Amino acid sequence: NAGVMQNPRHLVRRRGQEARLRCSPMKGHSHVYWYRQLPEEGLKFMVYLQKENIIDESGMPKERFSAEFPKEGPSILRIQQVVRGDSAAYFCASSEEGNIQYFGAGTRLSVL
Amino acid sequence: AQSVTQLDSQVPVFEEAPVELRCNYSSSVSVYLFWYVQYPNQGLQLLLKYLSGSTLVESINGFEAEFNKSQTSFHLRKPSVHISDTAEYFCAVIVTGANNLFFGTGTRLTVIP
């Protein structure tokens, strides 16, 4: 399957723990995007990365959230010291040069 | 700034009936338009897109959408729905040359047998 792969599909964390969400883009895609979907809302853009570079992080919360896309391996969205308000579905998308983004199945984060 | 409005949060419709899911957008610059579908507990799948050319675009499973620049709309239609069309449908726009999609809040289509 050459689609966008995200893992884990479900992640449960207690308040104060760290959450790491992984995303492997489609084969041949070098652009990765992270979106967050809060309950009963549409997706909201968080960050856009190319290999080893953060291009646009205008949608990222200023604290506790970080993202990387190393030269080798998947893109990682990291949330430190999670709070209940971080509970959401986090989706990753990838694209080639251009605007058509293909999405993964998402990671559903639950903070207890 | 860009925004996307999906006026109907829920649309129930009987099987084999026609359906229209409405989408309006606001942008002062040119955009590309998309419809994504999200089946229960799954990710988003690209349903159809408008980039340029013909304003009427079609998907492989019978959906179509028409870009209307004067009304800033991109409504999604299907002449006869099936049970398997039950899902959440998201309209999205991206400014040409920009990085991020702006999504509407979604429309939950429920097809009733």
Side-chain angles (χ1 to χ4, degrees), chain A residues 6-56:
Chain A
Q6 289 188 249
N7 67 81
R9 290 293 308 275
H10 301 274
L11 182 61
V12 180
R13 286 287 178 266
R14 296 190 181 279
R15 281 180 295 169
Q17 292 184 320
E18 178 181 284
R20 279 182 176 245
L21 289 64
R22 295 174 184 78
C23 169
S24 296
M26 282 180 71
K27 189 176 181 180
H29 288 186
S30 59
H31 303 250
V32 166
Y33 313 78
W34 285 94
Y35 292 81
R36 177 165 62 175
Q37 183 182 30
L38 294 170
E40 307 302 321
E41 293 187 17
L43 280 73
K44 297 284 196 300
F45 169 76
M46 299 180 75
V47 62
Y48 162 47
L49 310 100
Q50 294 181 26
K51 282 287 186 182
E52 299 185 278
N53 290 303
I54 296 174
I55 308 301
D56 181 354

Short mmCIF file of all heavy atoms in Angstrom, two decimals, chain A residues 6-56:
data_model
loop_
_atom_site.label_atom_id
_atom_site.label_comp_id
_atom_site.label_asym_id
_atom_site.label_seq_id
_atom_site.Cartn_x
_atom_site.Cartn_y
_atom_site.Cartn_z
N GLN A 6 -0.11 6.41 8.98
CA GLN A 6 0.02 7.04 10.28
C GLN A 6 -0.06 5.99 11.37
O GLN A 6 -0.85 5.05 11.29
CB GLN A 6 -1.12 8.05 10.51
CG GLN A 6 -1.00 9.30 9.67
CD GLN A 6 -2.02 10.36 10.06
OE1 GLN A 6 -2.94 10.65 9.31
NE2 GLN A 6 -1.83 10.94 11.23
N ASN A 7 0.76 6.18 12.38
CA ASN A 7 0.64 5.30 13.55
C ASN A 7 1.06 6.03 14.81
O ASN A 7 1.82 7.01 14.74
CB ASN A 7 1.47 4.02 13.34
CG ASN A 7 2.95 4.29 13.32
OD1 ASN A 7 3.61 4.42 14.35
ND2 ASN A 7 3.51 4.39 12.12
N PRO A 8 0.46 5.66 15.93
CA PRO A 8 -0.58 4.64 16.04
C PRO A 8 -1.93 5.17 15.57
O PRO A 8 -2.08 6.37 15.36
CB PRO A 8 -0.60 4.35 17.54
CG PRO A 8 -0.21 5.65 18.17
CD PRO A 8 0.81 6.26 17.24
N ARG A 9 -2.90 4.32 15.40
CA ARG A 9 -4.25 4.77 15.03
C ARG A 9 -4.94 5.37 16.24
O ARG A 9 -5.72 6.32 16.11
CB ARG A 9 -5.06 3.60 14.49
CG ARG A 9 -4.61 3.09 13.14
CD ARG A 9 -4.86 4.11 12.03
NE ARG A 9 -6.23 4.59 12.01
CZ ARG A 9 -7.23 3.97 11.39
NH1 ARG A 9 -7.03 2.85 10.75
NH2 ARG A 9 -8.44 4.49 11.41
N HIS A 10 -4.69 4.81 17.39
CA HIS A 10 -5.28 5.31 18.62
C HIS A 10 -4.17 5.43 19.66
O HIS A 10 -3.31 4.55 19.76
CB HIS A 10 -6.37 4.36 19.15
CG HIS A 10 -7.49 4.17 18.18
ND1 HIS A 10 -8.56 5.02 18.11
CD2 HIS A 10 -7.71 3.21 17.23
CE1 HIS A 10 -9.39 4.60 17.16
NE2 HIS A 10 -8.88 3.51 16.61
N LEU A 11 -4.22 6.51 20.42
CA LEU A 11 -3.19 6.76 21.43
C LEU A 11 -3.87 7.33 22.66
O LEU A 11 -4.60 8.31 22.57
CB LEU A 11 -2.15 7.74 20.89
CG LEU A 11 -0.96 8.08 21.78
CD1 LEU A 11 -0.15 6.84 22.09
CD2 LEU A 11 -0.09 9.14 21.11
N VAL A 12 -3.61 6.70 23.79
CA VAL A 12 -4.17 7.16 25.05
C VAL A 12 -3.02 7.63 25.94
O VAL A 12 -2.05 6.90 26.13
CB VAL A 12 -4.96 6.06 25.77
CG1 VAL A 12 -5.52 6.58 27.09
CG2 VAL A 12 -6.10 5.57 24.88
N ARG A 13 -3.15 8.83 26.46
CA ARG A 13 -2.14 9.39 27.35
C ARG A 13 -2.82 10.03 28.56
O ARG A 13 -3.96 10.50 28.47
CB ARG A 13 -1.31 10.46 26.62
CG ARG A 13 -0.32 9.91 25.61
CD ARG A 13 0.85 9.25 26.32
NE ARG A 13 1.81 8.66 25.41
CZ ARG A 13 1.78 7.37 25.05
NH1 ARG A 13 0.83 6.57 25.50
NH2 ARG A 13 2.70 6.90 24.25
N ARG A 14 -2.09 10.03 29.66
CA ARG A 14 -2.55 10.74 30.86
C ARG A 14 -2.00 12.17 30.79
O ARG A 14 -0.97 12.44 30.14
CB ARG A 14 -2.07 10.04 32.11
CG ARG A 14 -2.66 8.65 32.26
CD ARG A 14 -2.37 8.06 33.64
NE ARG A 14 -2.93 6.72 33.75
CZ ARG A 14 -4.20 6.47 34.02
NH1 ARG A 14 -5.05 7.46 34.20
NH2 ARG A 14 -4.63 5.23 34.10
N ARG A 15 -2.69 13.05 31.45
CA ARG A 15 -2.26 14.45 31.49
C ARG A 15 -0.81 14.54 31.94
O ARG A 15 -0.40 13.87 32.89
CB ARG A 15 -3.14 15.25 32.43
CG ARG A 15 -4.48 15.66 31.84
CD ARG A 15 -5.30 16.45 32.83
NE ARG A 15 -5.66 15.63 33.99
CZ ARG A 15 -6.20 16.11 35.09
NH1 ARG A 15 -6.43 17.40 35.22
NH2 ARG A 15 -6.51 15.31 36.08
N GLY A 16 -0.02 15.34 31.23
CA GLY A 16 1.38 15.52 31.57
C GLY A 16 2.34 14.62 30.83
O GLY A 16 3.54 14.88 30.82
N GLN A 17 1.82 13.59 30.18
CA GLN A 17 2.70 12.70 29.41
C GLN A 17 2.97 13.31 28.03
O GLN A 17 2.39 14.31 27.64
CB GLN A 17 2.05 11.32 29.26
CG GLN A 17 1.96 10.55 30.57
CD GLN A 17 1.40 9.15 30.37
OE1 GLN A 17 0.47 8.92 29.60
NE2 GLN A 17 2.00 8.18 31.08
N GLU A 18 3.85 12.63 27.30
CA GLU A 18 4.18 13.07 25.95
C GLU A 18 3.47 12.17 24.94
O GLU A 18 3.32 10.98 25.16
CB GLU A 18 5.70 12.99 25.74
CG GLU A 18 6.15 13.39 24.34
CD GLU A 18 7.65 13.29 24.17
OE1 GLU A 18 8.37 14.18 24.67
OE2 GLU A 18 8.11 12.32 23.51
N ALA A 19 3.08 12.78 23.83
CA ALA A 19 2.48 12.01 22.73
C ALA A 19 3.35 12.19 21.49
O ALA A 19 3.77 13.31 21.17
CB ALA A 19 1.07 12.50 22.44
N ARG A 20 3.63 11.07 20.82
CA ARG A 20 4.40 11.11 19.56
C ARG A 20 3.57 10.45 18.47
O ARG A 20 3.20 9.28 18.58
CB ARG A 20 5.72 10.36 19.73
CG ARG A 20 6.79 11.18 20.39
CD ARG A 20 8.09 10.40 20.49
NE ARG A 20 9.13 11.23 21.05
CZ ARG A 20 10.22 11.60 20.39
NH1 ARG A 20 10.43 11.19 19.16
NH2 ARG A 20 11.11 12.37 20.97
N LEU A 21 3.31 11.20 17.43
CA LEU A 21 2.50 10.72 16.33
C LEU A 21 3.39 10.65 15.09
O LEU A 21 4.14 11.59 14.82
CB LEU A 21 1.32 11.68 16.07
CG LEU A 21 0.18 11.73 17.09
CD1 LEU A 21 0.63 12.23 18.45
CD2 LEU A 21 -0.94 12.60 16.56
N ARG A 22 3.27 9.55 14.36
CA ARG A 22 4.16 9.33 13.22
C ARG A 22 3.41 9.33 11.91
O ARG A 22 2.25 8.90 11.84
CB ARG A 22 4.91 8.00 13.38
CG ARG A 22 5.85 7.97 14.56
CD ARG A 22 6.46 6.60 14.76
NE ARG A 22 7.28 6.56 15.95
CZ ARG A 22 6.81 6.46 17.19
NH1 ARG A 22 5.52 6.39 17.38
NH2 ARG A 22 7.64 6.45 18.21
N CYS A 23 4.09 9.78 10.88
CA CYS A 23 3.48 9.85 9.55
C CYS A 23 4.52 9.54 8.50
O CYS A 23 5.55 10.22 8.41
CB CYS A 23 2.90 11.24 9.32
SG CYS A 23 2.39 11.53 7.60
N SER A 24 4.25 8.51 7.70
CA SER A 24 5.10 8.21 6.54
C SER A 24 4.35 8.64 5.29
O SER A 24 3.25 8.14 5.03
CB SER A 24 5.41 6.72 6.49
OG SER A 24 6.17 6.33 7.62
N PRO A 25 4.91 9.55 4.51
CA PRO A 25 4.20 10.05 3.34
C PRO A 25 4.11 9.00 2.24
O PRO A 25 4.76 7.96 2.30
CB PRO A 25 5.07 11.24 2.89
CG PRO A 25 6.43 10.92 3.40
CD PRO A 25 6.23 10.18 4.69
N MET A 26 3.30 9.30 1.26
CA MET A 26 3.21 8.44 0.08
C MET A 26 4.57 8.39 -0.60
O MET A 26 5.34 9.35 -0.56
CB MET A 26 2.16 8.97 -0.89
CG MET A 26 0.73 8.68 -0.50
SD MET A 26 -0.47 9.34 -1.69
CE MET A 26 -0.20 8.24 -3.06
N LYS A 27 4.84 7.29 -1.24
CA LYS A 27 6.11 7.12 -1.94
C LYS A 27 6.27 8.24 -2.96
O LYS A 27 5.35 8.53 -3.74
CB LYS A 27 6.14 5.76 -2.63
CG LYS A 27 7.48 5.39 -3.21
CD LYS A 27 7.46 3.99 -3.78
CE LYS A 27 8.83 3.61 -4.34
NZ LYS A 27 8.84 2.24 -4.91
N GLY A 28 7.41 8.88 -2.93
CA GLY A 28 7.68 9.94 -3.89
C GLY A 28 7.26 11.32 -3.43
O GLY A 28 7.58 12.32 -4.07
N HIS A 29 6.53 11.40 -2.31
CA HIS A 29 6.11 12.70 -1.79
C HIS A 29 7.14 13.22 -0.80
O HIS A 29 7.56 12.49 0.10
CB HIS A 29 4.75 12.58 -1.09
CG HIS A 29 3.61 12.39 -2.02
ND1 HIS A 29 2.30 12.39 -1.58
CD2 HIS A 29 3.56 12.19 -3.37
CE1 HIS A 29 1.50 12.20 -2.61
NE2 HIS A 29 2.24 12.06 -3.70
N SER A 30 7.47 14.50 -0.95
CA SER A 30 8.44 15.10 -0.03
C SER A 30 7.84 16.24 0.79
O SER A 30 8.55 16.92 1.51
CB SER A 30 9.65 15.62 -0.82
OG SER A 30 9.23 16.58 -1.78
N HIS A 31 6.53 16.44 0.67
CA HIS A 31 5.84 17.50 1.41
C HIS A 31 4.88 16.84 2.39
O HIS A 31 4.08 15.98 2.00
CB HIS A 31 5.06 18.41 0.47
CG HIS A 31 5.90 19.04 -0.60
ND1 HIS A 31 6.19 20.39 -0.61
CD2 HIS A 31 6.51 18.52 -1.68
CE1 HIS A 31 6.95 20.66 -1.67
NE2 HIS A 31 7.16 19.54 -2.33
N VAL A 32 4.93 17.25 3.64
CA VAL A 32 4.07 16.69 4.68
C VAL A 32 3.34 17.81 5.41
O VAL A 32 3.92 18.86 5.69
CB VAL A 32 4.90 15.86 5.68
CG1 VAL A 32 4.10 15.55 6.93
CG2 VAL A 32 5.36 14.56 5.04
N TYR A 33 2.08 17.57 5.71
CA TYR A 33 1.23 18.54 6.40
C TYR A 33 0.58 17.84 7.57
O TYR A 33 0.17 16.69 7.47
CB TYR A 33 0.13 19.05 5.47
CG TYR A 33 0.60 19.45 4.09
CD1 TYR A 33 0.86 18.48 3.12
CD2 TYR A 33 0.77 20.79 3.74
CE1 TYR A 33 1.29 18.83 1.84
CE2 TYR A 33 1.20 21.15 2.47
CZ TYR A 33 1.46 20.17 1.53
OH TYR A 33 1.88 20.51 0.27
N TRP A 34 0.40 18.57 8.67
CA TRP A 34 -0.33 18.05 9.82
C TRP A 34 -1.56 18.92 10.06
O TRP A 34 -1.47 20.16 10.03
CB TRP A 34 0.54 18.04 11.08
CG TRP A 34 1.57 16.95 11.11
CD1 TRP A 34 2.87 17.03 10.70
CD2 TRP A 34 1.39 15.61 11.59
NE1 TRP A 34 3.51 15.82 10.90
CE2 TRP A 34 2.63 14.94 11.44
CE3 TRP A 34 0.31 14.91 12.16
CZ2 TRP A 34 2.81 13.61 11.83
CZ3 TRP A 34 0.50 13.59 12.53
CH2 TRP A 34 1.73 12.96 12.37
N TYR A 35 -2.68 18.25 10.31
CA TYR A 35 -3.94 18.93 10.62
C TYR A 35 -4.52 18.33 11.90
O TYR A 35 -4.29 17.17 12.22
CB TYR A 35 -4.97 18.71 9.49
CG TYR A 35 -4.63 19.39 8.18
CD1 TYR A 35 -3.73 18.81 7.30
CD2 TYR A 35 -5.24 20.59 7.82
CE1 TYR A 35 -3.43 19.43 6.08
CE2 TYR A 35 -4.95 21.21 6.62
CZ TYR A 35 -4.04 20.62 5.75
OH TYR A 35 -3.75 21.24 4.55
N ARG A 36 -5.32 19.13 12.59
CA ARG A 36 -6.00 18.64 13.79
C ARG A 36 -7.50 18.79 13.59
O ARG A 36 -7.98 19.82 13.10
CB ARG A 36 -5.54 19.44 15.02
CG ARG A 36 -6.26 19.04 16.29
CD ARG A 36 -5.55 19.56 17.52
NE ARG A 36 -5.49 21.02 17.59
CZ ARG A 36 -5.00 21.67 18.64
NH1 ARG A 36 -4.52 21.02 19.68
NH2 ARG A 36 -4.97 22.99 18.64
N GLN A 37 -8.22 17.77 14.01
CA GLN A 37 -9.68 17.79 13.93
C GLN A 37 -10.25 17.64 15.33
O GLN A 37 -10.20 16.56 15.92
CB GLN A 37 -10.20 16.67 13.02
CG GLN A 37 -11.70 16.69 12.82
CD GLN A 37 -12.19 15.54 11.96
OE1 GLN A 37 -11.59 14.46 11.94
NE2 GLN A 37 -13.28 15.75 11.24
N LEU A 38 -10.79 18.72 15.84
CA LEU A 38 -11.46 18.66 17.14
C LEU A 38 -12.88 18.12 16.94
O LEU A 38 -13.43 18.21 15.84
CB LEU A 38 -11.48 20.05 17.77
CG LEU A 38 -10.09 20.60 18.15
CD1 LEU A 38 -10.19 22.07 18.53
CD2 LEU A 38 -9.50 19.79 19.29
N PRO A 39 -13.47 17.58 18.00
CA PRO A 39 -14.83 17.01 17.86
C PRO A 39 -15.80 18.00 17.24
O PRO A 39 -15.84 19.16 17.62
CB PRO A 39 -15.19 16.67 19.31
CG PRO A 39 -13.89 16.44 19.97
CD PRO A 39 -12.93 17.40 19.34
N GLU A 40 -16.57 17.54 16.29
CA GLU A 40 -17.61 18.32 15.62
C GLU A 40 -17.06 19.52 14.86
O GLU A 40 -17.80 20.46 14.57
CB GLU A 40 -18.65 18.81 16.64
CG GLU A 40 -19.26 17.71 17.51
CD GLU A 40 -19.94 16.62 16.70
OE1 GLU A 40 -20.59 16.96 15.69
OE2 GLU A 40 -19.81 15.43 17.05
N GLU A 41 -15.79 19.49 14.50
CA GLU A 41 -15.22 20.58 13.73
C GLU A 41 -14.52 20.05 12.49
O GLU A 41 -14.25 18.86 12.37
CB GLU A 41 -14.22 21.37 14.57
CG GLU A 41 -14.83 22.13 15.73
CD GLU A 41 -13.81 23.02 16.42
OE1 GLU A 41 -12.74 23.29 15.84
OE2 GLU A 41 -14.10 23.44 17.55
N GLY A 42 -14.21 20.95 11.57
CA GLY A 42 -13.41 20.58 10.42
C GLY A 42 -11.94 20.52 10.79
O GLY A 42 -11.54 20.82 11.90
N LEU A 43 -11.14 20.14 9.82
CA LEU A 43 -9.71 20.06 10.06
C LEU A 43 -9.09 21.45 10.05
O LEU A 43 -9.46 22.30 9.25
CB LEU A 43 -9.04 19.21 8.98
CG LEU A 43 -9.14 17.70 9.13
CD1 LEU A 43 -10.53 17.21 8.82
CD2 LEU A 43 -8.12 17.02 8.24
N LYS A 44 -8.12 21.64 10.93
CA LYS A 44 -7.39 22.90 11.00
C LYS A 44 -5.91 22.63 10.76
O LYS A 44 -5.32 21.75 11.40
CB LYS A 44 -7.57 23.56 12.37
CG LYS A 44 -9.00 23.95 12.71
CD LYS A 44 -9.45 25.19 11.99
CE LYS A 44 -10.69 25.83 12.57
NZ LYS A 44 -11.86 24.96 12.57
N PHE A 45 -5.33 23.42 9.88
CA PHE A 45 -3.92 23.28 9.54
C PHE A 45 -3.04 23.57 10.74
O PHE A 45 -3.29 24.51 11.51
CB PHE A 45 -3.60 24.26 8.40
CG PHE A 45 -2.14 24.42 8.11
CD1 PHE A 45 -1.43 23.45 7.42
CD2 PHE A 45 -1.45 25.55 8.54
CE1 PHE A 45 -0.09 23.60 7.14
CE2 PHE A 45 -0.10 25.72 8.27
CZ PHE A 45 0.58 24.74 7.57
N MET A 46 -1.99 22.77 10.87
CA MET A 46 -1.02 23.01 11.95
C MET A 46 0.34 23.39 11.38
O MET A 46 0.87 24.45 11.68
CB MET A 46 -0.87 21.76 12.81
CG MET A 46 -2.15 21.33 13.50
SD MET A 46 -1.90 19.86 14.50
CE MET A 46 -1.04 20.56 15.89
N VAL A 47 0.91 22.51 10.53
CA VAL A 47 2.29 22.73 10.11
C VAL A 47 2.54 22.06 8.77
O VAL A 47 1.90 21.05 8.45
CB VAL A 47 3.27 22.20 11.18
CG1 VAL A 47 3.11 20.70 11.39
CG2 VAL A 47 4.71 22.55 10.87
N TYR A 48 3.48 22.65 8.02
CA TYR A 48 3.87 22.12 6.71
C TYR A 48 5.38 21.95 6.71
O TYR A 48 6.11 22.88 7.05
CB TYR A 48 3.41 23.09 5.62
CG TYR A 48 4.07 22.95 4.26
CD1 TYR A 48 4.23 21.72 3.65
CD2 TYR A 48 4.51 24.10 3.58
CE1 TYR A 48 4.81 21.62 2.40
CE2 TYR A 48 5.10 24.00 2.33
CZ TYR A 48 5.25 22.76 1.75
OH TYR A 48 5.83 22.65 0.50
N LEU A 49 5.83 20.75 6.32
CA LEU A 49 7.25 20.47 6.34
C LEU A 49 7.70 19.85 5.01
O LEU A 49 6.93 19.15 4.36
CB LEU A 49 7.60 19.46 7.45
CG LEU A 49 7.08 19.71 8.85
CD1 LEU A 49 5.85 18.86 9.14
CD2 LEU A 49 8.14 19.40 9.88
N GLN A 50 8.92 20.12 4.67
CA GLN A 50 9.63 19.37 3.65
C GLN A 50 10.80 18.70 4.36
O GLN A 50 11.06 18.98 5.52
CB GLN A 50 10.10 20.28 2.51
CG GLN A 50 8.96 20.87 1.71
CD GLN A 50 9.44 21.75 0.58
OE1 GLN A 50 10.55 21.59 0.06
NE2 GLN A 50 8.61 22.69 0.18
N LYS A 51 11.49 17.86 3.66
CA LYS A 51 12.57 17.10 4.30
C LYS A 51 13.51 18.03 5.06
O LYS A 51 14.10 18.94 4.48
CB LYS A 51 13.36 16.33 3.26
CG LYS A 51 12.67 15.06 2.79
CD LYS A 51 12.70 13.98 3.85
CE LYS A 51 12.14 12.66 3.32
NZ LYS A 51 12.14 11.61 4.36
N GLU A 52 13.60 17.81 6.37
CA GLU A 52 14.51 18.51 7.28
C GLU A 52 14.17 19.99 7.45
O GLU A 52 14.93 20.71 8.10
CB GLU A 52 15.96 18.38 6.80
CG GLU A 52 16.45 16.93 6.74
CD GLU A 52 17.91 16.83 6.38
OE1 GLU A 52 18.24 16.89 5.18
OE2 GLU A 52 18.72 16.69 7.32
N ASN A 53 13.07 20.46 6.92
CA ASN A 53 12.73 21.88 7.04
C ASN A 53 11.27 22.08 7.42
O ASN A 53 10.38 21.42 6.89
CB ASN A 53 12.98 22.62 5.72
CG ASN A 53 14.46 22.75 5.43
OD1 ASN A 53 15.21 23.30 6.24
ND2 ASN A 53 14.89 22.24 4.30
N ILE A 54 11.04 23.00 8.34
CA ILE A 54 9.69 23.47 8.62
C ILE A 54 9.43 24.68 7.75
O ILE A 54 10.14 25.68 7.83
CB ILE A 54 9.52 23.84 10.11
CG1 ILE A 54 9.72 22.60 10.99
CG2 ILE A 54 8.15 24.45 10.34
CD1 ILE A 54 9.72 22.91 12.47
N ILE A 55 8.42 24.57 6.89
CA ILE A 55 8.15 25.64 5.93
C ILE A 55 7.12 26.63 6.49
O ILE A 55 7.25 27.83 6.32
CB ILE A 55 7.66 25.07 4.59
CG1 ILE A 55 8.61 24.00 4.07
CG2 ILE A 55 7.47 26.19 3.58
CD1 ILE A 55 10.03 24.48 3.86
N ASP A 56 6.10 26.11 7.13
CA ASP A 56 5.02 26.95 7.63
C ASP A 56 4.47 26.32 8.89
O ASP A 56 3.93 25.22 8.83
CB ASP A 56 3.92 27.08 6.56
CG ASP A 56 2.75 27.96 6.97
OD1 ASP A 56 2.70 28.42 8.14
OD2 ASP A 56 1.87 28.20 6.13
#
